[in-house]
Amino acid sequence: MTTVTSPPSDLGSLIAQTLAPRVHAIDLEGEYPESFLRAVGQLGGFAGVVAPAFGGSGKGLADTIATMAQIGETCLSTAFTHWCQTACARYIQLSDNASAKSRWLPRLAKGTQLGGTGLSNTCKSNCEIERFLLTARRVQGGYEINGTLPWVSNLGEAHIFVTGCPVDGDGRLVFFVTRCNQDGFRLVESAHFTALEGTRTLACQFRQVFIPDGEVLAHPDAAAAYLARIQPGMFLSQLGMGIGLIRDCVRLVERAGRTHAHVNAFERDQADELAAALAAAEQEVFRLAARLDGDPSPEELPELLTEVLRIRLAGGELALRAANAAMLHQGARGYLRTATAQRRLREAYFIAIVTPSLKHLRREIARREGPA
Ligand SMILES: Cc1cc2nc3c(=O)[nH]c(=O)nc-3n(C[C@H](O)[C@H](O)[C@H](O)COP(=O)(O)OP(=O)(O)OC[C@H]3O[C@@H](n4cnc5c(N)ncnc54)[C@H](O)[C@@H]3O)c2cc1C
């Protein structure tokens, strides 16, 4: 007789029972935690960024960041897939496209539809760090898209994702939803990574892909205002990953101190200093999340984005510092192939390089603070 057990009814138990035992498989074998993600959706873990009118809880970015941090304490790969899913939902929520909202948001909120975000190239090209990799051409009833994005995560044949690119002959951007199973579109496995292997990160090839107007989130005349609306929350919410990882690193430092305090006391970074820096960062992250949840006016967004860039940089730097400390305090125990400390160190570098990378953030902050 098969015993049917019901899934855990709270996130902590779900993580302990179904995610923690799979962390090595996710990290070392690239296992994609699909069933965990779907269970998170059933518990309302994606619903914060979706309005109640579309099946969400409307609890906002603060709730989303708190959930991501809880997942990130155990596994950054999985926390990143949570970010991909909630970023995708939030872009749709913040669009003016009512039909896309009714079609996708209830399913994204529940996790019955999984999705990602292919906006790294869009954001980097938009501030002239690299060239645009996709192009759009206006055609009858929509746009035709061509090109390839090298890395988009949380994808699969039945997934969707949001991206944006310039329109030929216009120069301004168009943002839209792509279905991974549509004609002319192909997912290609192109790379393996030193961490984050379980995120289903794939190259996305567009060959004359037709995007109907019904899947357009912002046409060129609305694109600049739309990007300004989505960007602060997109960057800020990545710190859900950072907060989770740093919390775990502080614990690793403390744990090593139980047996090695006599020598670990000579390390440069200590648990209490890291914990204090984390508390200050968390306070700033949740202050800014509350402001973004309060529906700021378009005039407030540029200054808010600058504040987000600063805390995103500080959080990224703190993640590297905390993971480095965890590794040094743990010593050889942390250097074993399945040790948590070395995994956290590899994961921390992802927070530093995913768009906006630390160098991208420093460049943008310098541009804003530079001579007028
Ligand atoms: C695990 C992972 C998941 C990601 N998920 C997403 C996502 O979901 N959505 C999204 O939009 N972006 C995603 N990205 C892209 C990410 O946000 C950055 O844009 C990317 O890491 C490049 O940033 P960079 O600052 O290193 O770029 P730069 O320093 O400007 O340049 C990166 C360098 O990498 C080189 N490069 C490009 N492709 C390859 C390749 N296949 N192999 C080797 N070198 C290459 C480029 O030529 C360039 O020299 C992901 C990246 C990684 C590593």
Side-chain angles (χ1 to χ4, degrees):
M1 198 180 82
T2 321
T3 315
V4 180
T5 50
S6 50
S9 59
D10 68 276
L11 185 62
S13 307
L14 184 71
I15 291 170
Q17 290 170 32
T18 67
L19 180 62
R22 304 308 306 161
V23 162
H24 295 315
I26 293 168
D27 181 47
L28 300 173
E29 294 154 30
E31 180 176 292
Y32 174 60
E34 181 162 347
S35 57
F36 173 80
L37 287 174
R38 294 198 186 273
V40 169
Q42 292 304 309
L43 290 180
F46 305 132
V49 287
V50 176
F54 298 104
S57 66
K59 288 182 182 170
L61 270 181
D63 179 75
T64 303
I65 293 170
T67 302
M68 200 184 303
Q70 204 179 339
I71 297 170
E73 285 182 47
T74 298
C75 177
L76 196 88
S77 237
T78 310
F80 182 58
T81 58
H82 178 275
W83 177 80
C84 296
Q85 175 82 6
T86 50
C88 175
R90 188 167 174 275
Y91 305 151
I92 298 172
Q93 177 66 56
L94 290 180
S95 79
D96 295 324
N97 183 333
S99 78
K101 288 185 192 189
S102 334
R103 184 162 48 256
W104 299 119
L105 289 177
R107 291 187 252 166
L108 285 166
K110 275 260 172 298
T112 50
Q113 172 69 55
L114 295 175
T117 151
L119 286 187
S120 288
N121 174 250
T122 319
C123 292
K124 286 161 78 180
S125 310
N126 200 47
C127 57
E128 291 126 29
I129 292 179
E130 65 187 23
R131 66 181 178 85
F132 283 104
L133 297 172
L134 298 181
T135 58
R137 191 166 67 84
R138 190 66 167 132
V139 294
Q140 181 74 31
Y143 294 85
E144 183 189 279
I145 313 295
N146 281 289
T148 301
L149 293 174
W151 299 314
V152 183
S153 308
N154 205 37
L155 296 186
E157 284 304 317
H159 292 45
I160 60 167
F161 71 100
V162 172
T163 187
C165 65
V167 179
D168 281 352
D170 182 305
R172 293 174 300 175
L173 303 175
V174 58
F175 289 87
F176 52 90
V177 179
T178 304
R179 300 168 194 242
C180 292
N181 59 5
Q182 73 185 86
D183 285 350
F185 181 82
R186 207 157 74 90
L187 289 173
V188 183
E189 197 178 307
S190 66
H192 291 285
F193 303 99
T194 195
L196 282 284
E197 239 333 61
T199 53
R200 279 262 197 87
T201 300
L202 301 165
C204 294
Q205 275 184 6
F206 292 75
R207 298 283 176 268
Q208 299 181 322
V209 171
F210 176 68
I211 301 291
D213 285 335
E215 298 292 8
V216 172
L217 301 180
H219 289 280
D221 56 353
Y226 176 72
L227 185 61
R229 215 154 54 231
I230 62 174
Q231 237 179 0
M234 170 190 176
F235 294 167
L236 183 72
S237 59
Q238 292 173 334
L239 286 175
M241 293 192 278
I243 291 169
L245 179 130
I246 298 163
R247 282 182 193 157
D248 194 35
C249 290
V250 172
R251 278 198 291 266
L252 287 168
V253 169
E254 286 169 344
R255 215 169 294 150
R258 286 186 209 146
T259 50
H260 288 67
H262 58 289
V263 59
N264 282 358
F266 291 89
E267 280 299 344
R268 289 216 177 100
D269 282 308
Q270 296 295 326
D272 51 353
E273 298 154 5
L274 292 169
L278 172 62
E282 284 200 40
Q283 200 178 1
E284 179 64 354
V285 168
F286 286 105
R287 181 185 74 80
L288 289 170
R291 284 205 56 200
L292 289 168
D293 285 339
D295 199 14
S297 68
E299 293 71 41
E300 291 174 278
L301 288 172
E303 182 51 36
L304 256 174
L305 179 61
T306 305
E307 292 180 68
V308 166
L309 297 176
R310 287 204 187 101
I311 187 62
R312 173 69 181 78
L313 175 62
E317 287 174 337
L318 184 59
L320 287 179
R321 188 177 144 211
N324 190 49
M327 186 71 235
L328 294 174
H329 280 251
Q330 288 271 319
R333 272 179 301 188
Y335 204 65
L336 297 173
R337 190 158 179 268
T338 55
T340 306
Q342 54 79 28
R343 174 170 59 85
R344 304 264 65 165
L345 191 60
R346 288 184 282 113
E347 291 175 339
Y349 277 98
F350 181 71
I351 301 171
I353 64 159
V354 70
T355 298
S357 62
L358 299 191
K359 58 191 175 184
H360 178 165
L361 289 160
R362 289 191 193 108
R363 179 178 182 268
E364 282 308 298
I365 293 167
R367 269 154 52 119
R368 275 151 215 263
E369 289 173 349

